[in-house]
Amino acid sequence: MDEILGILNSVSSVVWGPLMLLLLVGTGVFLMLRLKGFPLRRLGTGFALLWQGRKPQGKGDVSPFNALMTALAATIGTGNIVGVATAIGLGGPGALFWMWCSALVGMATKYAEAVCAVHYREKDSAGLSVGGPMYYIKNGLGARWAWLGTAFAIFGCAAGFGIGNTVQAHSVADALHGDLAIPKLLTGVLLMVLVGAVLLGGVKRIAQVAGRLVPFMGVAYIVCGLLVIAVHADAVPAALVLIVESAFNGQAAAGGFAGAGVAMAIQFGVARGVFSNEAGLGSAPIAHAAAATGNPVRQGMIAMLGTFIDTLVVCSITGIAIVASGAWQGGAKGALMSQSAFASALPFGELFITLAIALFAFTTMLGWSYYGERCAQYLWGTKAITPFRVLWVLAIGVGAMANLSLVWIVADILNALMAIPNLIALFLLSGVVVTLTRKYAKSGHAATDDQ
């Protein structure tokens, strides 16, 4: 087993190495330049559209607001708590700066993904809107590229059982067992019941639950994080200076983290940022394709808020709290580092982080169940939906109890393999995205999408 893990770790180091990170960030830069900064210039418009999008705005299955909440259900997860701490622990405070940079260009990637998802979506045999990379590859690039869409669907379906299911269940069971002594079996059974009950209602039920849970958990986490930062307000200016300086010189405060070079800050900042907001992986556009909208550009502006909220808001609060509190110098790693930061200011800090991990992981399982289901449907038709849901619920129980070292690394590799077909499609379809965006900018609205 150790030999297999060693080989897989080597493969993961290659697929998530500098080349992949360059492709992810490079695609974002390329799209941002082609769009002449449109996602950044229309950030305010995006929030206005999100507020309007609480009600259906056209053809589709869920409101534009709930489509974003479904996507955020999958992206706001343990990466916002554990991933940020890991990035700072391995790359120093400067990793947070590079996380911000990757998120800014990632907004263009997420925007383009949603525009393509809505523009090229289809209706399935049940009359539901389906879309995502596999569909915009097939419908946008033509039959000769269909194999690329199939590859994405295979990788996405398989990866979901890892990063979006068993790994999340294990994180919840481990956290509740360690802090509250709740048996892992009990956690696993409870998660199976809760997730199964939501999945029975299909995409509309998932979107409704996400539309209520995600805003609640996001606001609660932001408020508590801001309280931590407020308690350490005197240290915040120095923390921000340290974050920026460490991004370029690799130096940390005296007596602090040693050897955090610029290269490590960039690598871990960008990698953890992508893991958290999923810009470029191709997962979020599957959710946005179900939005009740007749306008792909409008949904694109809503979709790009996912990256902004996930990384530039939630991850920033975690990172600044860790640096300002000094928790990053205390020897704790991962979730324990975040717990240390919150416990330094809140009497219930450690328990809050434990419960946040549980709730974030639960919503991630819901969001990724929809992604995996749509990938399975693309491969085998609507007849695959029910068997997929059964397997998804059963896998939760396995994840809560099992040692997931092998599952984690395999899912890690599959996530990278998902990104490759999606990035190729975004590059080749960038002209379509630009054309639709120009029409919107010129007339104030894009052509109605009647698909």
Side-chain angles (χ1 to χ4, degrees), residues 160-180:
F161 279 96
I163 201 68
N165 184 312
T166 52
V167 168
Q168 301 297 327
H170 183 79
S171 296
V172 176
D174 203 41
L176 294 181
H177 179 71
D179 290 349
L180 300 176

Side-chain angles (χ1 to χ4, degrees), residues 57-73:
Q57 303 290 312
K59 295 181 179 179
D61 307 314
V62 301
S63 71
F65 176 88
N66 280 350
L68 177 62
M69 293 305 108
T70 303
L72 281 175

